[in-house]
Amino acid sequence: MTQLAYEQKKRDLIRQLQRDSGAIRLDKTTSNLFRTRAKPDDNKIDVRTLNQVLAVDSENQTVEVEGMTTYENLADACLARTCMPLVVPQLKSITIGGAVSGIGIESTSFRHGLPHESVLAMDVLLADGDVVTCTPDNEHADLFFGIPNSYGTLGYILKLTARTMPVKPYVVLQHLRHTDIEEYFGAVGEACASDVDFVDGSVFDGEEMYLTLGRFTDSAPYTSDYTWLKMYFRSIRERREDYLDLRDYLWRWDTDWFWCSKNLFVQNLPMRLLLGRRRLNSVTYQKVMRWNNRLGLTAAINRLMDRHPEGVVQDVDIPLENAAEFLRFFLDEIGIRPVWICPIGGHDPTRNFPLYPLHGSGLFINFGFWDIVPNPQKHEAGYFNRKIEAKVSELGGVKSLYSDAYYDEDVFWKLYAGDKYFALKQKYDPRGRLRDLYQKCVLRK
Ligand SMILES: Cc1cc2nc3c(=O)[nH]c(=O)nc-3n(C[C@H](O)[C@H](O)[C@H](O)COP(=O)(O)OP(=O)(O)OC[C@H]3O[C@@H](n4cnc5c(N)ncnc54)[C@H](O)[C@@H]3O)c2cc1C
């Protein structure tokens, strides 16, 4: 039934694309992009109904799912069959198509890589209305490997098949404190070589860093609840051990948008009582942020008070051997705290995704930081973001493109495999109905 419905939705989209001409863009219900784009007069492709889980095969550990399905719905469908996708990004409204064509990550990434690395096949809607099925070894393998980090500029994922893994009902956590940056990253490397199931970390300062290790478990003496009055990120500093229901573990960062809910003034008891469980989540915060951007409230207050704060909302991936240097630079010169860290491993050297080049087979460390740098002086636009871009390149890292980017065009194409990208663009979108990656991610067109 759902398969038939999928075929019908696909036919409708194909018809729409063949009927219209000119530029196109996605029409979706939610988004976790952090850069605002100009609202051009493009034809909107309504993909909102492509949000169904088509089949969970817990015997062969695969799931077949439509591209706009949120990870919340996908994880629920899988958990009902005692399995989960190999990597479940932390925000409930991230969709599987968004995480594969943008880049996602979570605490299983030290073993399973990024979400796109567990994909087996994809149906991709091309700008001229064709739909191609691509796999790592068919005639569209170039598109299969080119889609990650293409942000919808080569085509839209309508459906994909991905690997899953068996799960247990609970997760037991250990929060291990470190006070020395070198030792901390040494411990991260050791944890990734051990038999734990989940690894991530929270840096509150250069002398207060936590490594959080998680293991699946069949039973729990108690379970903590961080979906309303208590905040998960605070528990890291307060407890050495904790037990969570697996579903609550997967969404532990969603309730307070990691710790960013502070900017919406909801980290106090009266506000939490007022809002209730249902409104404390990343979807609410995204909506508030978009209203604020549309109305220009914060920008107007800053202008009035002659303040020049700069939003620094980024995720960057740095080779483990350079992680200590990056963290020192970041704490000294950017100063945002806390910082989330998450190791990335499990690379299969036979599967090379050119647009998101994590070179070599060693571990990378993802640093996530999402805040405002209060900037009393007026600098050029993107002053702090540019510093980060330069440091990431110097240390052999890669920056995600879901937020602001300031690269010059020639530098950008060197970093993100321009030669390979334009060959794909020429083959799969020769009329340029979809904007290119630089136009979309840097110029915000
Ligand atoms: C504050 C913040 C924190 C973040 N933290 C994390 C994190 O911890 N873990 C994590 O994994 N990720 C994180 N992200 C990044 C997030 O995963 C990516 O931005 C992802 O692309 C968002 O997916 P979405 O479904 O919301 O897509 P959207 O925001 O709707 O779209 C993202 C881009 O992908 C394109 N796109 C969307 N769907 C498709 C599709 N089906 N086919 C082709 N292209 C498509 C869109 O055109 C757009 O360019 C974070 C982002 C922010 C802003």
Side-chain angles (χ1 to χ4, degrees), residues 26 28 30-34 67-68 89-91 94-95 97-99 101-105 151-152 155-157 258 370 402 440:
L26 276 187
K28 281 184 75 215
T30 54
S31 170
N32 289 281
L33 277 188
F34 229 85
M68 314 302 154
Q90 301 84 340
L91 308 180
I94 292 178
T95 62
S101 58
I103 298 293
I105 184 168
Y151 282 88
Y156 297 126
I157 305 165
F258 288 83
W370 316 285
Y402 67 76
K440 197 165 179 185

PDB file of all heavy atoms in Angstrom, residues 26 28 30-34 67-68 89-91 94-95 97-99 101-105 151-152 155-157 258 370 402 440, ligand 1:
ATOM      1  N   LEU A  26      12.889  23.184  -2.908  1.00  0.00           N
ATOM      2  CA  LEU A  26      12.053  22.275  -2.121  1.00  0.00           C
ATOM      3  C   LEU A  26      11.030  23.025  -1.289  1.00  0.00           C
ATOM      4  O   LEU A  26      11.322  24.097  -0.759  1.00  0.00           O
ATOM      5  CB  LEU A  26      12.927  21.498  -1.125  1.00  0.00           C
ATOM      6  CG  LEU A  26      13.653  20.253  -1.576  1.00  0.00           C
ATOM      7  CD1 LEU A  26      14.305  19.585  -0.383  1.00  0.00           C
ATOM      8  CD2 LEU A  26      12.707  19.286  -2.262  1.00  0.00           C
ATOM      9  N   LYS A  28       9.208  22.238   2.092  1.00  0.00           N
ATOM     10  CA  LYS A  28       9.193  21.265   3.197  1.00  0.00           C
ATOM     11  C   LYS A  28       8.549  21.901   4.422  1.00  0.00           C
ATOM     12  O   LYS A  28       8.481  23.112   4.531  1.00  0.00           O
ATOM     13  CB  LYS A  28      10.632  20.898   3.579  1.00  0.00           C
ATOM     14  CG  LYS A  28      11.297  19.907   2.692  1.00  0.00           C
ATOM     15  CD  LYS A  28      12.684  19.576   3.249  1.00  0.00           C
ATOM     16  CE  LYS A  28      12.638  18.676   4.465  1.00  0.00           C
ATOM     17  NZ  LYS A  28      13.698  18.984   5.431  1.00  0.00           N
ATOM     18  N   THR A  30       9.630  21.448   7.760  1.00  0.00           N
ATOM     19  CA  THR A  30      10.618  21.864   8.762  1.00  0.00           C
ATOM     20  C   THR A  30      11.975  21.994   8.088  1.00  0.00           C
ATOM     21  O   THR A  30      12.181  21.492   6.988  1.00  0.00           O
ATOM     22  CB  THR A  30      10.762  20.801   9.870  1.00  0.00           C
ATOM     23  OG1 THR A  30      11.053  19.556   9.242  1.00  0.00           O
ATOM     24  CG2 THR A  30       9.506  20.702  10.707  1.00  0.00           C
ATOM     25  N   SER A  31      12.897  22.649   8.780  1.00  0.00           N
ATOM     26  CA  SER A  31      14.266  22.724   8.271  1.00  0.00           C
ATOM     27  C   SER A  31      15.206  22.941   9.447  1.00  0.00           C
ATOM     28  O   SER A  31      14.843  23.597  10.421  1.00  0.00           O
ATOM     29  CB  SER A  31      14.417  23.884   7.290  1.00  0.00           C
ATOM     30  OG  SER A  31      15.785  24.076   6.997  1.00  0.00           O
ATOM     31  N   ASN A  32      16.399  22.402   9.345  1.00  0.00           N
ATOM     32  CA  ASN A  32      17.417  22.671  10.361  1.00  0.00           C
ATOM     33  C   ASN A  32      18.580  23.440   9.765  1.00  0.00           C
ATOM     34  O   ASN A  32      19.678  23.444  10.310  1.00  0.00           O
ATOM     35  CB  ASN A  32      17.899  21.357  10.992  1.00  0.00           C
ATOM     36  CG  ASN A  32      16.823  20.768  11.875  1.00  0.00           C
ATOM     37  OD1 ASN A  32      16.642  21.207  12.993  1.00  0.00           O
ATOM     38  ND2 ASN A  32      16.071  19.821  11.360  1.00  0.00           N
ATOM     39  N   LEU A  33      18.331  24.083   8.651  1.00  0.00           N
ATOM     40  CA  LEU A  33      19.377  24.930   8.081  1.00  0.00           C
ATOM     41  C   LEU A  33      19.494  26.174   8.941  1.00  0.00           C
ATOM     42  O   LEU A  33      18.509  26.690   9.438  1.00  0.00           O
ATOM     43  CB  LEU A  33      19.015  25.369   6.669  1.00  0.00           C
ATOM     44  CG  LEU A  33      19.312  24.413   5.528  1.00  0.00           C
ATOM     45  CD1 LEU A  33      19.060  25.105   4.208  1.00  0.00           C
ATOM     46  CD2 LEU A  33      20.740  23.894   5.588  1.00  0.00           C
ATOM     47  N   PHE A  34      20.693  26.695   9.047  1.00  0.00           N
ATOM     48  CA  PHE A  34      20.875  27.863   9.903  1.00  0.00           C
ATOM     49  C   PHE A  34      21.243  29.100   9.117  1.00  0.00           C
ATOM     50  O   PHE A  34      21.612  30.104   9.683  1.00  0.00           O
ATOM     51  CB  PHE A  34      21.932  27.566  10.973  1.00  0.00           C
ATOM     52  CG  PHE A  34      21.453  27.943  12.332  1.00  0.00           C
ATOM     53  CD1 PHE A  34      20.689  27.069  13.068  1.00  0.00           C
ATOM     54  CD2 PHE A  34      21.704  29.192  12.858  1.00  0.00           C
ATOM     55  CE1 PHE A  34      20.203  27.422  14.312  1.00  0.00           C
ATOM     56  CE2 PHE A  34      21.233  29.559  14.099  1.00  0.00           C
ATOM     57  CZ  PHE A  34      20.476  28.662  14.835  1.00  0.00           C
ATOM     58  N   GLY A  67      12.243  10.145   1.521  1.00  0.00           N
ATOM     59  CA  GLY A  67      13.325  11.092   1.823  1.00  0.00           C
ATOM     60  C   GLY A  67      13.006  12.163   2.854  1.00  0.00           C
ATOM     61  O   GLY A  67      13.897  12.671   3.521  1.00  0.00           O
ATOM     62  N   MET A  68      11.729  12.534   3.002  1.00  0.00           N
ATOM     63  CA  MET A  68      11.409  13.640   3.912  1.00  0.00           C
ATOM     64  C   MET A  68      10.922  13.122   5.267  1.00  0.00           C
ATOM     65  O   MET A  68      10.330  13.875   6.039  1.00  0.00           O
ATOM     66  CB  MET A  68      10.346  14.558   3.292  1.00  0.00           C
ATOM     67  CG  MET A  68      10.613  14.919   1.853  1.00  0.00           C
ATOM     68  SD  MET A  68      12.197  15.749   1.586  1.00  0.00           S
ATOM     69  CE  MET A  68      12.510  15.315  -0.136  1.00  0.00           C
ATOM     70  N   PRO A  89      20.714  11.333  13.971  1.00  0.00           N
ATOM     71  CA  PRO A  89      21.064  12.702  14.374  1.00  0.00           C
ATOM     72  C   PRO A  89      20.169  13.172  15.528  1.00  0.00           C
ATOM     73  O   PRO A  89      19.031  12.710  15.661  1.00  0.00           O
ATOM     74  CB  PRO A  89      20.799  13.523  13.113  1.00  0.00           C
ATOM     75  CG  PRO A  89      20.881  12.552  11.993  1.00  0.00           C
ATOM     76  CD  PRO A  89      20.369  11.258  12.544  1.00  0.00           C
ATOM     77  N   GLN A  90      20.675  14.139  16.306  1.00  0.00           N
ATOM     78  CA  GLN A  90      20.051  14.440  17.604  1.00  0.00           C
ATOM     79  C   GLN A  90      18.787  15.251  17.572  1.00  0.00           C
ATOM     80  O   GLN A  90      18.146  15.411  18.600  1.00  0.00           O
ATOM     81  CB  GLN A  90      21.013  15.244  18.486  1.00  0.00           C
ATOM     82  CG  GLN A  90      22.300  14.593  18.788  1.00  0.00           C
ATOM     83  CD  GLN A  90      23.300  14.824  17.681  1.00  0.00           C
ATOM     84  OE1 GLN A  90      22.945  15.145  16.556  1.00  0.00           O
ATOM     85  NE2 GLN A  90      24.543  14.643  17.995  1.00  0.00           N
ATOM     86  N   LEU A  91      18.457  15.871  16.446  1.00  0.00           N
ATOM     87  CA  LEU A  91      17.284  16.741  16.441  1.00  0.00           C
ATOM     88  C   LEU A  91      16.146  16.016  15.737  1.00  0.00           C
ATOM     89  O   LEU A  91      16.317  15.517  14.620  1.00  0.00           O
ATOM     90  CB  LEU A  91      17.607  18.074  15.755  1.00  0.00           C
ATOM     91  CG  LEU A  91      18.865  18.787  16.299  1.00  0.00           C
ATOM     92  CD1 LEU A  91      19.100  20.109  15.561  1.00  0.00           C
ATOM     93  CD2 LEU A  91      18.775  19.036  17.799  1.00  0.00           C
ATOM     94  N   ILE A  94      15.124  16.582  11.966  1.00  0.00           N
ATOM     95  CA  ILE A  94      16.048  16.342  10.842  1.00  0.00           C
ATOM     96  C   ILE A  94      15.478  15.185  10.032  1.00  0.00           C
ATOM     97  O   ILE A  94      15.053  14.175  10.591  1.00  0.00           O
ATOM     98  CB  ILE A  94      17.473  16.027  11.351  1.00  0.00           C
ATOM     99  CG1 ILE A  94      18.094  17.273  11.999  1.00  0.00           C
ATOM    100  CG2 ILE A  94      18.361  15.533  10.215  1.00  0.00           C
ATOM    101  CD1 ILE A  94      19.481  17.076  12.574  1.00  0.00           C
ATOM    102  N   THR A  95      15.447  15.344   8.719  1.00  0.00           N
ATOM    103  CA  THR A  95      14.920  14.270   7.866  1.00  0.00           C
ATOM    104  C   THR A  95      16.087  13.444   7.324  1.00  0.00           C
ATOM    105  O   THR A  95      17.226  13.934   7.259  1.00  0.00           O
ATOM    106  CB  THR A  95      14.134  14.850   6.680  1.00  0.00           C
ATOM    107  OG1 THR A  95      15.041  15.637   5.879  1.00  0.00           O
ATOM    108  CG2 THR A  95      12.974  15.716   7.148  1.00  0.00           C
ATOM    109  N   GLY A  97      16.607  12.542   4.277  1.00  0.00           N
ATOM    110  CA  GLY A  97      17.138  13.154   3.043  1.00  0.00           C
ATOM    111  C   GLY A  97      18.022  14.346   3.349  1.00  0.00           C
ATOM    112  O   GLY A  97      19.053  14.559   2.701  1.00  0.00           O
ATOM    113  N   GLY A  98      17.631  15.133   4.369  1.00  0.00           N
ATOM    114  CA  GLY A  98      18.430  16.297   4.776  1.00  0.00           C
ATOM    115  C   GLY A  98      19.762  15.880   5.361  1.00  0.00           C
ATOM    116  O   GLY A  98      20.797  16.505   5.099  1.00  0.00           O
ATOM    117  N   ALA A  99      19.755  14.811   6.149  1.00  0.00           N
ATOM    118  CA  ALA A  99      20.998  14.374   6.798  1.00  0.00           C
ATOM    119  C   ALA A  99      21.958  13.704   5.815  1.00  0.00           C
ATOM    120  O   ALA A  99      23.170  13.720   6.025  1.00  0.00           O
ATOM    121  CB  ALA A  99      20.681  13.420   7.949  1.00  0.00           C
ATOM    122  N   SER A 101      21.959  14.418   2.328  1.00  0.00           N
ATOM    123  CA  SER A 101      22.433  15.400   1.336  1.00  0.00           C
ATOM    124  C   SER A 101      23.145  16.566   2.014  1.00  0.00           C
ATOM    125  O   SER A 101      24.011  17.202   1.424  1.00  0.00           O
ATOM    126  CB  SER A 101      21.279  15.920   0.494  1.00  0.00           C
ATOM    127  OG  SER A 101      20.337  16.494   1.352  1.00  0.00           O
ATOM    128  N   GLY A 102      22.758  16.892   3.273  1.00  0.00           N
ATOM    129  CA  GLY A 102      23.558  17.758   4.139  1.00  0.00           C
ATOM    130  C   GLY A 102      24.396  16.739   4.915  1.00  0.00           C
ATOM    131  O   GLY A 102      24.551  15.617   4.468  1.00  0.00           O
ATOM    132  N   ILE A 103      24.897  17.080   6.030  1.00  0.00           N
ATOM    133  CA  ILE A 103      25.710  16.086   6.733  1.00  0.00           C
ATOM    134  C   ILE A 103      25.180  15.946   8.153  1.00  0.00           C
ATOM    135  O   ILE A 103      24.850  16.929   8.789  1.00  0.00           O
ATOM    136  CB  ILE A 103      27.197  16.500   6.735  1.00  0.00           C
ATOM    137  CG1 ILE A 103      27.737  16.566   5.300  1.00  0.00           C
ATOM    138  CG2 ILE A 103      28.055  15.589   7.595  1.00  0.00           C
ATOM    139  CD1 ILE A 103      27.817  15.243   4.567  1.00  0.00           C
ATOM    140  N   GLY A 104      25.071  14.729   8.652  1.00  0.00           N
ATOM    141  CA  GLY A 104      24.610  14.499  10.019  1.00  0.00           C
ATOM    142  C   GLY A 104      25.675  13.767  10.820  1.00  0.00           C
ATOM    143  O   GLY A 104      26.707  13.353  10.272  1.00  0.00           O
ATOM    144  N   ILE A 105      25.391  13.604  12.100  1.00  0.00           N
ATOM    145  CA  ILE A 105      26.368  12.941  12.977  1.00  0.00           C
ATOM    146  C   ILE A 105      25.693  12.574  14.290  1.00  0.00           C
ATOM    147  O   ILE A 105      24.706  13.192  14.665  1.00  0.00           O
ATOM    148  CB  ILE A 105      27.568  13.874  13.252  1.00  0.00           C
ATOM    149  CG1 ILE A 105      28.629  13.143  14.072  1.00  0.00           C
ATOM    150  CG2 ILE A 105      27.157  15.168  13.926  1.00  0.00           C
ATOM    151  CD1 ILE A 105      29.958  13.844  14.151  1.00  0.00           C
ATOM    152  N   TYR A 151      23.516  19.139  -0.804  1.00  0.00           N
ATOM    153  CA  TYR A 151      22.431  20.036  -0.354  1.00  0.00           C
ATOM    154  C   TYR A 151      21.356  20.269  -1.398  1.00  0.00           C
ATOM    155  O   TYR A 151      20.954  21.411  -1.637  1.00  0.00           O
ATOM    156  CB  TYR A 151      23.026  21.378   0.112  1.00  0.00           C
ATOM    157  CG  TYR A 151      23.635  21.282   1.495  1.00  0.00           C
ATOM    158  CD1 TYR A 151      24.955  20.908   1.654  1.00  0.00           C
ATOM    159  CD2 TYR A 151      22.866  21.536   2.627  1.00  0.00           C
ATOM    160  CE1 TYR A 151      25.515  20.777   2.921  1.00  0.00           C
ATOM    161  CE2 TYR A 151      23.411  21.414   3.894  1.00  0.00           C
ATOM    162  CZ  TYR A 151      24.728  21.040   4.028  1.00  0.00           C
ATOM    163  OH  TYR A 151      25.266  20.905   5.269  1.00  0.00           O
ATOM    164  N   GLY A 152      20.913  19.210  -2.021  1.00  0.00           N
ATOM    165  CA  GLY A 152      19.814  19.357  -2.969  1.00  0.00           C
ATOM    166  C   GLY A 152      20.201  20.090  -4.236  1.00  0.00           C
ATOM    167  O   GLY A 152      19.322  20.564  -4.962  1.00  0.00           O
ATOM    168  N   GLY A 155      19.979  16.962  -7.078  1.00  0.00           N
ATOM    169  CA  GLY A 155      18.707  16.254  -7.181  1.00  0.00           C
ATOM    170  C   GLY A 155      18.185  16.006  -5.773  1.00  0.00           C
ATOM    171  O   GLY A 155      18.888  16.267  -4.790  1.00  0.00           O
ATOM    172  N   TYR A 156      16.946  15.528  -5.696  1.00  0.00           N
ATOM    173  CA  TYR A 156      16.324  15.320  -4.387  1.00  0.00           C
ATOM    174  C   TYR A 156      16.136  13.833  -4.107  1.00  0.00           C
ATOM    175  O   TYR A 156      15.625  13.098  -4.957  1.00  0.00           O
ATOM    176  CB  TYR A 156      14.965  16.019  -4.335  1.00  0.00           C
ATOM    177  CG  TYR A 156      15.069  17.518  -4.488  1.00  0.00           C
ATOM    178  CD1 TYR A 156      14.341  18.184  -5.461  1.00  0.00           C
ATOM    179  CD2 TYR A 156      15.893  18.264  -3.653  1.00  0.00           C
ATOM    180  CE1 TYR A 156      14.428  19.565  -5.602  1.00  0.00           C
ATOM    181  CE2 TYR A 156      15.995  19.640  -3.788  1.00  0.00           C
ATOM    182  CZ  TYR A 156      15.263  20.290  -4.767  1.00  0.00           C
ATOM    183  OH  TYR A 156      15.366  21.642  -4.891  1.00  0.00           O
ATOM    184  N   ILE A 157      16.506  13.422  -2.907  1.00  0.00           N
ATOM    185  CA  ILE A 157      16.334  12.012  -2.530  1.00  0.00           C
ATOM    186  C   ILE A 157      14.852  11.784  -2.214  1.00  0.00           C
ATOM    187  O   ILE A 157      14.317  12.383  -1.280  1.00  0.00           O
ATOM    188  CB  ILE A 157      17.169  11.664  -1.278  1.00  0.00           C
ATOM    189  CG1 ILE A 157      18.637  12.010  -1.495  1.00  0.00           C
ATOM    190  CG2 ILE A 157      16.989  10.199  -0.898  1.00  0.00           C
ATOM    191  CD1 ILE A 157      19.452  12.039  -0.205  1.00  0.00           C
ATOM    192  N   PHE A 258      20.605  20.961  22.501  1.00  0.00           N
ATOM    193  CA  PHE A 258      21.846  20.843  23.270  1.00  0.00           C
ATOM    194  C   PHE A 258      21.680  21.760  24.482  1.00  0.00           C
ATOM    195  O   PHE A 258      20.898  21.449  25.352  1.00  0.00           O
ATOM    196  CB  PHE A 258      23.076  21.198  22.432  1.00  0.00           C
ATOM    197  CG  PHE A 258      23.383  20.127  21.415  1.00  0.00           C
ATOM    198  CD1 PHE A 258      22.720  20.080  20.198  1.00  0.00           C
ATOM    199  CD2 PHE A 258      24.315  19.139  21.685  1.00  0.00           C
ATOM    200  CE1 PHE A 258      22.974  19.085  19.272  1.00  0.00           C
ATOM    201  CE2 PHE A 258      24.589  18.127  20.761  1.00  0.00           C
ATOM    202  CZ  PHE A 258      23.916  18.118  19.561  1.00  0.00           C
ATOM    203  N   TRP A 370      27.341  26.611  18.817  1.00  0.00           N
ATOM    204  CA  TRP A 370      26.161  27.274  18.275  1.00  0.00           C
ATOM    205  C   TRP A 370      25.809  28.420  19.211  1.00  0.00           C
ATOM    206  O   TRP A 370      25.084  28.231  20.198  1.00  0.00           O
ATOM    207  CB  TRP A 370      25.006  26.268  18.213  1.00  0.00           C
ATOM    208  CG  TRP A 370      25.418  24.918  17.670  1.00  0.00           C
ATOM    209  CD1 TRP A 370      25.672  24.606  16.366  1.00  0.00           C
ATOM    210  CD2 TRP A 370      25.626  23.699  18.408  1.00  0.00           C
ATOM    211  NE1 TRP A 370      26.018  23.282  16.245  1.00  0.00           N
ATOM    212  CE2 TRP A 370      25.994  22.697  17.477  1.00  0.00           C
ATOM    213  CE3 TRP A 370      25.535  23.329  19.756  1.00  0.00           C
ATOM    214  CZ2 TRP A 370      26.271  21.386  17.847  1.00  0.00           C
ATOM    215  CZ3 TRP A 370      25.813  22.028  20.125  1.00  0.00           C
ATOM    216  CH2 TRP A 370      26.176  21.066  19.171  1.00  0.00           C
ATOM    217  N   TYR A 402      25.736  23.715   6.596  1.00  0.00           N
ATOM    218  CA  TYR A 402      24.328  24.002   6.902  1.00  0.00           C
ATOM    219  C   TYR A 402      24.121  25.419   7.416  1.00  0.00           C
ATOM    220  O   TYR A 402      23.000  25.870   7.599  1.00  0.00           O
ATOM    221  CB  TYR A 402      23.773  23.003   7.931  1.00  0.00           C
ATOM    222  CG  TYR A 402      24.374  23.111   9.316  1.00  0.00           C
ATOM    223  CD1 TYR A 402      23.994  24.138  10.171  1.00  0.00           C
ATOM    224  CD2 TYR A 402      25.303  22.194   9.768  1.00  0.00           C
ATOM    225  CE1 TYR A 402      24.540  24.256  11.440  1.00  0.00           C
ATOM    226  CE2 TYR A 402      25.854  22.294  11.023  1.00  0.00           C
ATOM    227  CZ  TYR A 402      25.463  23.323  11.856  1.00  0.00           C
ATOM    228  OH  TYR A 402      26.018  23.427  13.104  1.00  0.00           O
ATOM    229  N   LYS A 440      24.308  28.360  -3.338  1.00  0.00           N
ATOM    230  CA  LYS A 440      23.342  28.055  -2.277  1.00  0.00           C
ATOM    231  C   LYS A 440      23.949  28.236  -0.886  1.00  0.00           C
ATOM    232  O   LYS A 440      23.343  28.861  -0.026  1.00  0.00           O
ATOM    233  CB  LYS A 440      22.875  26.609  -2.472  1.00  0.00           C
ATOM    234  CG  LYS A 440      21.612  26.277  -1.724  1.00  0.00           C
ATOM    235  CD  LYS A 440      21.013  24.989  -2.232  1.00  0.00           C
ATOM    236  CE  LYS A 440      19.756  24.660  -1.465  1.00  0.00           C
ATOM    237  NZ  LYS A 440      19.203  23.377  -1.843  1.00  0.00           N
TER     238      LYS A 440
HETATM  239  C1  LIG B   1      22.023  24.231  15.555  1.00  0.00           C
HETATM  240  C2  LIG B   1      22.239  23.024  14.677  1.00  0.00           C
HETATM  241  C3  LIG B   1      22.729  21.878  15.224  1.00  0.00           C
HETATM  242  C4  LIG B   1      22.908  20.780  14.442  1.00  0.00           C
HETATM  243  N1  LIG B   1      23.294  19.675  15.046  1.00  0.00           N
HETATM  244  C5  LIG B   1      23.325  18.563  14.368  1.00  0.00           C
HETATM  245  C6  LIG B   1      23.637  17.383  15.023  1.00  0.00           C
HETATM  246  O1  LIG B   1      23.917  17.394  16.203  1.00  0.00           O
HETATM  247  N2  LIG B   1      23.641  16.253  14.342  1.00  0.00           N
HETATM  248  C7  LIG B   1      23.352  16.252  13.038  1.00  0.00           C
HETATM  249  O2  LIG B   1      23.325  15.190  12.455  1.00  0.00           O
HETATM  250  N3  LIG B   1      23.121  17.353  12.353  1.00  0.00           N
HETATM  251  C8  LIG B   1      23.079  18.517  12.990  1.00  0.00           C
HETATM  252  N4  LIG B   1      22.790  19.654  12.322  1.00  0.00           N
HETATM  253  C9  LIG B   1      22.803  19.693  10.856  1.00  0.00           C
HETATM  254  C10 LIG B   1      21.632  19.060  10.162  1.00  0.00           C
HETATM  255  O3  LIG B   1      21.700  17.659  10.225  1.00  0.00           O
HETATM  256  C11 LIG B   1      21.710  19.429   8.691  1.00  0.00           C
HETATM  257  O4  LIG B   1      21.486  20.821   8.592  1.00  0.00           O
HETATM  258  C12 LIG B   1      20.669  18.687   7.858  1.00  0.00           C
HETATM  259  O5  LIG B   1      20.918  18.944   6.481  1.00  0.00           O
HETATM  260  C13 LIG B   1      19.281  19.144   8.229  1.00  0.00           C
HETATM  261  O6  LIG B   1      18.326  18.290   7.675  1.00  0.00           O
HETATM  262  P1  LIG B   1      16.818  18.753   7.429  1.00  0.00           P
HETATM  263  O7  LIG B   1      16.076  17.524   7.194  1.00  0.00           O
HETATM  264  O8  LIG B   1      16.356  19.648   8.515  1.00  0.00           O
HETATM  265  O9  LIG B   1      16.974  19.461   6.052  1.00  0.00           O
HETATM  266  P2  LIG B   1      16.671  20.923   5.565  1.00  0.00           P
HETATM  267  O10 LIG B   1      17.197  21.905   6.571  1.00  0.00           O
HETATM  268  O11 LIG B   1      15.270  21.035   5.160  1.00  0.00           O
HETATM  269  O12 LIG B   1      17.558  20.935   4.284  1.00  0.00           O
HETATM  270  C14 LIG B   1      18.947  20.913   4.350  1.00  0.00           C
HETATM  271  C15 LIG B   1      19.501  20.963   2.936  1.00  0.00           C
HETATM  272  O13 LIG B   1      19.345  19.678   2.348  1.00  0.00           O
HETATM  273  C16 LIG B   1      18.524  19.773   1.203  1.00  0.00           C
HETATM  274  N5  LIG B   1      17.609  18.653   1.278  1.00  0.00           N
HETATM  275  C17 LIG B   1      16.662  18.426   2.206  1.00  0.00           C
HETATM  276  N6  LIG B   1      16.025  17.269   1.949  1.00  0.00           N
HETATM  277  C18 LIG B   1      16.594  16.766   0.840  1.00  0.00           C
HETATM  278  C19 LIG B   1      16.389  15.599   0.091  1.00  0.00           C
HETATM  279  N7  LIG B   1      15.442  14.725   0.391  1.00  0.00           N
HETATM  280  N8  LIG B   1      17.172  15.385  -1.000  1.00  0.00           N
HETATM  281  C20 LIG B   1      18.137  16.250  -1.351  1.00  0.00           C
HETATM  282  N9  LIG B   1      18.367  17.383  -0.669  1.00  0.00           N
HETATM  283  C21 LIG B   1      17.608  17.634   0.405  1.00  0.00           C
HETATM  284  C22 LIG B   1      17.809  21.085   1.241  1.00  0.00           C
HETATM  285  O14 LIG B   1      17.585  21.598  -0.055  1.00  0.00           O
HETATM  286  C23 LIG B   1      18.795  21.931   2.011  1.00  0.00           C
HETATM  287  O15 LIG B   1      19.762  22.502   1.182  1.00  0.00           O
HETATM  288  C24 LIG B   1      22.620  20.796  13.062  1.00  0.00           C
HETATM  289  C25 LIG B   1      22.126  21.966  12.494  1.00  0.00           C
HETATM  290  C26 LIG B   1      21.932  23.063  13.297  1.00  0.00           C
HETATM  291  C27 LIG B   1      21.379  24.277  12.683  1.00  0.00           C
END
